[in-house]
Amino acid sequence: MTVAIFPGSFDPITNGHLDIATKAAKAFDELYIVIMDNTNKKYFFCREERVAFIEDAVKDIKNIKVITRPEQLTVAVAKELNATVMVRGLRNNEDFIYEQQIANMNKKLAPDLETALFFASPENASVSSSMVKEIAKFGGDVRPFLPKLAATAMIQRLNNE
Ligand code: ADP
């Protein structure tokens, strides 16, 4: 049985993340989406909100579990969960260079852990959590980029500010 982890900050989960998680859940037996949470970092959504948005978005995919971990080496999280694969998403060349650096470093730290990169679907290739937050801040419609619960929460939050 192959266990994989998909770590990230998911602040909030976007359709791009969801697309990668869906593909990875088909490729591996069990997938943990790991929300890395750094208590010193300022997130737009708190840990509980980020968990709730992801859980709602993946509720129909039975082999996905959503967990949070304090931000730490992802190789340590993989070891704890007996995961042998680390899933990441690729949108463009910049992501590639970044992910290659992380993968090379992780290979040194955990030789048995493989990184699996999944390409973003073309419609999600320009979507990022930070871009969506910018769009929301200036009153743009975020619904095309986010799973339902995350979009609703974002709209509500900005209406209340
Ligand atoms: P991190 O802070 O670790 O980069 P993110 O939540 O921003 O966390 O992203 C987690 C992973 O998802 C990264 O591998 C990132 O490249 C990937 N990702 C982010 N947005 C998309 C997208 N639109 N399509 C595909 N992969 C994506």
Side-chain angles (χ1 to χ4, degrees):
M1 190 174 97
T2 307
V3 179
I5 62 168
F6 180 25
S9 32
F10 304 105
D11 185 31
I13 183 173
T14 66
N15 288 341
H17 294 128
L18 181 58
D19 175 39
I20 300 300
T22 305
K23 289 171 180 163
K26 282 190 190 135
F28 305 114
D29 298 304
E30 205 168 339
L31 179 72
Y32 287 93
I33 299 183
V34 187
I35 304 173
M36 304 302 272
D37 194 55
N38 182 339
T39 41
N40 298 319
K41 249 194 210 168
K42 239 189 122 24
Y43 297 101
F44 191 80
F45 290 107
C46 71
R47 185 197 313 160
E48 291 72 23
E49 287 172 308
R50 284 179 286 147
V51 170
F53 302 158
I54 301 181
E55 279 182 344
D56 186 67
V58 303
K59 61 179 180 293
D60 295 328
I61 309 176
K62 299 293 171 229
N63 61 336
I64 295 185
K65 290 197 179 81
V66 185
I67 60 171
T68 56
R69 285 292 177 274
E71 201 160 32
Q72 56 178 307
L73 285 175
T74 42
V75 296
V77 181
K79 192 166 175 210
E80 175 207 333
L81 299 168
N82 286 322
T84 53
V85 177
M86 166 120 77
V87 169
R88 301 283 289 174
L90 271 192
R91 286 162 291 191
N92 49 40
N93 291 354
E94 262 174 54
D95 275 355
F96 177 80
I97 299 293
Y98 179 64
E99 297 296 344
Q100 187 182 39
Q101 284 171 343
I102 299 177
N104 286 344
M105 205 46 88
N106 283 341
K107 200 71 201 161
K108 287 206 191 307
L109 296 169
D112 293 337
L113 181 68
E114 292 302 332
T115 298
L117 298 173
F118 288 79
F119 282 108
S121 300
E123 65 272 23
N124 295 318
S126 312
V127 177
S128 68
S129 301
S130 48
M131 192 90 81
V132 172
K133 283 179 273 194
E134 277 299 296
I135 293 170
K137 206 162 83 184
F138 295 109
D141 185 5
V142 294
R143 284 172 300 180
F145 313 114
L146 298 179
K148 205 159 172 224
L149 196 59
T152 310
M154 188 155 248
I155 293 163
Q156 231 166 35
R157 165 94 175 260
L158 291 158
N159 282 342
N160 289 340
E161 269 178 9

